[in-house]
Amino acid sequence: MGISIFRAGFSVLVILGFVVCDLGVCNGGFTSGYVRNDYVASDMPLDSDVFKPPPGRNAAQQVHITQGDLEGKSVIISWVTPEKPGSNRVVYWAENSPIRNKAEGSVVSYKYFNYTSGFIHHCTIENLEYDTKYFYVIGFGSLTRRFWFITPPKIGPDVPYTFGVIGDLGQTYDSNKTLTHYESNPTKGQAMLFVGDLSYADRYPFHDNTRWDTWGRFVERSAAYQPWIWTAGNHELDYAPDIGETEPFKPFLHLYRVPYNALDGSSPLWYSIKRASAHIIVLSSYSSYVKSSPQYKWLQSELPRVNRDQTPWLIVLMHTPMYSSYVHHYMEGESMRVVFEPWFVNYKVDVVFAGHVHAYERSERVSNIAYNIVNGLCSPMRNQDAPVYITIGDGGNSEGLVTEMTEPQPRYSAYREASFGHATLDIKNRTHAYFAWHRNQDEYSVEADALWLHNRQWIASKLAKSAPVSHLSSAA
Ligand SMILES: [Fe+2]
C-alpha cells in the first residue's frame, strides 16, 4: 500500500515536472560547472620566444596564407619584411615535382599614428592541383625561408574535410595554450575558420601597431602552413579619430588579404569561399547590413548561388553572435539577427560560428522569425531549418573570460561554459559532420562538448518524404 502511494506520488511529480518544463519555467540546456582559474591573463612579453623574429636581417616574417580564390585552387601568401622591400617572389613546387614555379607579389605599407609598418607582401599563386602538398620559399640566400601547405581536395558533396575554429585569440599565455591545443588536437584541422578579433593591438596606447607584428609572428607557426579564413571583429576596426586615424580596418586590411571579388559585390570584409564540401560565407558585423547596403545586397545574391548539390555544408562566420546568453555583449547581434536570420532559415544554413563573447556556447536549432507583433511569438522557437549557433570567442585574449550568464539558462542555449578553447568541425560526407569543442585545461584529445550535425539540406529532403519530427534528439 505504502509503495503504491509512493509510486502514484512519484508519477504525479514526474507529470508536473513535464508540465512545468513545457511552460518554459525550466532552464534550457546545460551550464557547465567546470571550475577554472578566474583571472585575466596579460599579454606575453615582447621578448617571448613565440614573438622572436626569424634569424637574418630583414628576413620574411609574419608569414600567413589564406585561400586565394573561390574554389581552392589558389593561395594568397603574405609576409612582412621589416626594413626593406626585399624579394617579392615566391618559388613553389608540388612535392616530388622537379618543376619550380615562380610568382611575383605586390608590396604595401601603411602608417598608423606614430607607427610605420614594414613592407607587407601579398603573392597569389594560382592553378594549383587539388589535394597536393606544395612547398614554397620566400627570400633568397641566407634569408631563405621554406614552408609548405596542402591544397584541399576537389570540391564535391561527399568530400571529407576538417576545419579548426578559433576566435578572439589575442596574444596572452592563454592564446598560446589555445593555439598549442589546436596544433596538438588529434583531430587535425586542415584550415582555420577564424571568427575575428586577432591581435588586440588596439588595447595598447595609440593602438600600438607593433602588437600587430608580434601577433603575426605568433600565429605564423600555424598560419604559414594552413589557410586561415579571416573574419573582421571590432578589434580590427582601429578607428581612433582622437589620434587622427579615421580609416576603419586599416592595419587589418593591409596585413590580411582575402579572396573577395568586387565584381560580385563581395568585399574584403564580406565574401565567400568553397572548400571541399563546404560553402563558407564570411560576414562583417561592423559594416552596414541594413536593407540595400552593399553587404545586404551581396548576401541576398550570394545565398541563391550556393549549390548544395556541390557543397552541401553551408557555414556562416561572423564576429558578433546572434544568439548568446552571456551578460557581456548581451543582444549586440540582435540587429543583424533581425535582418539576416530569415535568410539563414530559408536557405538552411547548417552552422553559424561567431566570437566576440569570450566564452563558449552552443545553441539549439532555433529561430525567432515568426513574430508579427500580434501573434505573441516573440521568443526563439525550435526550428529544424535553423542553424546551430556557436559562440567561440574563447581564444584567450587579454580581456579575459566573461563568466556572468543570464539566468535561468534560456531554452535556446544548449551548452555554455566560460573556458578558453578551440573547436574542430570534421565533415564526414554530405550528411554528417562532427563538431567538438576543446577547453585548454584538458588533455588534447578531450572533447568538452560535441555534437553530430546532420546536414540541413539533406535532412530537409529526408523529412519531406517522411512524417515530421516533433522534437530534437542529441544530434542536430
Ligand atoms: Fe569582439
Side-chain angles (χ1 to χ4, degrees):
M1 180 70 176
I3 290 172
S4 345
I5 290 171
F6 173 77
R7 279 184 181 154
F10 181 73
S11 303
V12 169
L13 276 176
V14 169
I15 292 165
L16 193 63
F18 281 127
V19 170
V20 169
C21 279
D22 208 41
L23 290 173
V25 178
C26 284
N27 286 2
F30 179 72
T31 298
S32 171
Y34 192 87
V35 178
R36 72 203 62 77
N37 292 325
D38 195 7
Y39 66 98
V40 176
S42 55
D43 282 340
M44 295 178 281
L46 290 173
D47 60 357
S48 301
D49 56 351
V50 297
F51 297 148
K52 204 172 172 186
R57 192 167 176 183
N58 205 45
Q61 59 169 262
Q62 305 176 49
V63 181
H64 54 271
I65 63 171
T66 195
Q67 184 161 320
D69 63 356
L70 182 62
E71 303 209 332
K73 292 194 76 172
S74 173
V75 169
I76 302 171
I77 300 171
S78 304
W79 71 95
V80 175
T81 47
E83 295 183 18
K84 295 183 286 187
S87 169
N88 209 14
R89 176 175 292 181
V90 171
V91 179
Y92 62 99
W93 63 96
E95 190 177 32
N96 302 323
S97 169
I99 301 169
R100 298 294 185 264
N101 306 286
K102 297 184 181 72
E104 288 291 326
S106 58
V107 62
V108 294
S109 62
Y110 70 93
K111 290 182 188 298
Y112 191 96
F113 188 55
N114 58 0
Y115 166 91
T116 302
S117 75
F119 297 88
I120 305 161
H121 304 252
H122 301 290
C123 181
T124 303
I125 57 176
E126 299 172 316
N127 300 316
L128 303 172
E129 296 295 324
Y130 282 122
D131 211 5
T132 301
K133 184 171 186 176
Y134 280 88
F135 293 94
Y136 67 98
V137 166
I138 303 168
F140 52 85
S142 62
L143 300 181
T144 299
R145 299 192 70 202
R146 191 173 90 155
F147 305 89
W148 54 265
F149 60 82
I150 299 172
T151 51
K154 187 176 181 194
I155 288 169
D158 286 307
V159 177
Y161 201 77
T162 305
F163 293 97
V165 196
I166 289 181
D168 304 69
L169 185 56
Q171 44 194 305
T172 70
Y173 295 98
D174 289 313
S175 321
N176 197 25
K177 282 182 197 162
T178 301
L179 190 54
T180 302
H181 271 246
Y182 172 62
E183 294 169 305
S184 308
N185 189 331
T187 304
K188 290 294 176 195
Q190 297 167 279
M192 174 65 74
L193 305 178
F194 191 86
V195 293
D197 282 0
L198 285 68
S199 73
Y200 288 77
D202 60 349
R203 282 175 50 79
Y204 285 81
F206 311 117
H207 296 227
D208 182 359
N209 274 226
T210 59
R211 279 291 176 173
W212 273 105
D213 294 326
T214 54
W215 195 82
R217 296 199 289 271
F218 161 49
V219 300
E220 181 190 276
R221 70 189 203 228
S222 173
Y225 297 91
Q226 61 174 243
W228 284 39
I229 310 305
W230 301 109
T231 311
N234 53 304
H235 287 279
E236 277 65 75
L237 270 166
D238 282 308
Y239 177 75
D242 51 322
I243 54 173
E245 292 298 342
T246 56
E247 184 184 329
F249 303 105
K250 189 201 270 184
F252 173 69
L253 292 179
H254 278 84
L255 287 161
Y256 295 93
R257 288 288 160 88
V258 300
Y260 74 100
N261 179 359
L263 291 177
D264 74 357
S266 61
S267 109
L269 301 169
W270 57 85
Y271 63 98
S272 68
I273 59 164
K274 300 180 200 178
R275 198 165 181 89
S277 48
H279 190 116
I280 297 160
I281 291 177
V282 178
L283 297 177
S284 173
S285 302
Y286 300 93
S287 304
S288 178
Y289 41 78
V290 297
K291 219 169 190 174
S292 81
S293 66
Q295 182 170 209
Y296 178 97
K297 285 200 262 187
W298 174 77
L299 185 58
Q300 190 176 36
S301 60
E302 174 67 8
L303 285 166
R305 281 199 288 256
V306 179
N307 180 350
R308 301 296 279 272
D309 293 330
Q310 182 193 48
T311 50
W313 293 95
L314 180 51
I315 299 166
V316 173
L317 312 182
M318 62 178 63
H319 186 62
T320 307
M322 290 183 173
Y323 285 95
S324 167
S325 68
Y326 287 85
V327 171
H328 205 59
H329 297 313
Y330 187 61
M331 294 190 88
E332 279 186 19
E334 187 65 1
S335 52
M336 185 185 256
R337 183 194 67 72
V338 168
V339 177
F340 287 157
E341 188 183 23
W343 292 350
F344 290 176
V345 174
N346 288 342
Y347 286 94
K348 298 182 176 58
V349 171
D350 289 292
V351 57
V352 176
F353 291 112
H356 198 45
V357 176
H358 299 164
Y360 171 74
E361 185 165 23
R362 170 172 59 80
S363 80
E364 303 286 359
R365 290 198 182 277
V366 291
S367 73
N368 197 4
I369 57 175
Y371 185 48
N372 69 0
I373 301 178
V374 293
N375 62 6
L377 301 176
C378 53
S379 303
M381 297 161 60
R382 297 286 180 107
N383 187 333
Q384 287 279 11
D385 288 340
V388 170
Y389 294 88
I390 291 173
T391 302
I392 187 150
D394 56 348
N397 62 74
S398 58
E399 291 179 337
L401 286 166
V402 295
T403 55
E404 197 180 348
M405 305 172 185
T406 59
E407 300 293 351
Q409 184 170 10
R411 299 181 75 187
Y412 63 75
S413 172
Y415 183 103
R416 57 185 185 175
E417 180 178 324
S419 292
F420 292 130
H422 77 278
T424 53
L425 178 67
D426 190 3
I427 296 174
K428 306 290 187 185
N429 51 36
R430 76 182 70 195
T431 61
H432 286 74
Y434 187 71
F435 170 82
W437 175 64
H438 297 255
R439 67 165 83 84
N440 286 357
Q441 291 88 340
D442 293 332
E443 291 299 318
Y444 298 132
S445 61
V446 173
E447 297 164 353
D449 183 38
L451 182 77
W452 276 103
L453 292 163
H454 294 161
N455 184 271
R456 286 302 98 184
Q457 186 73 13
W458 168 76
I459 206 164
S461 58
K462 193 178 170 207
L463 288 175
K465 294 175 192 161
S466 60
V469 174
S470 60
H471 65 277
L472 292 174
S473 65
S474 58

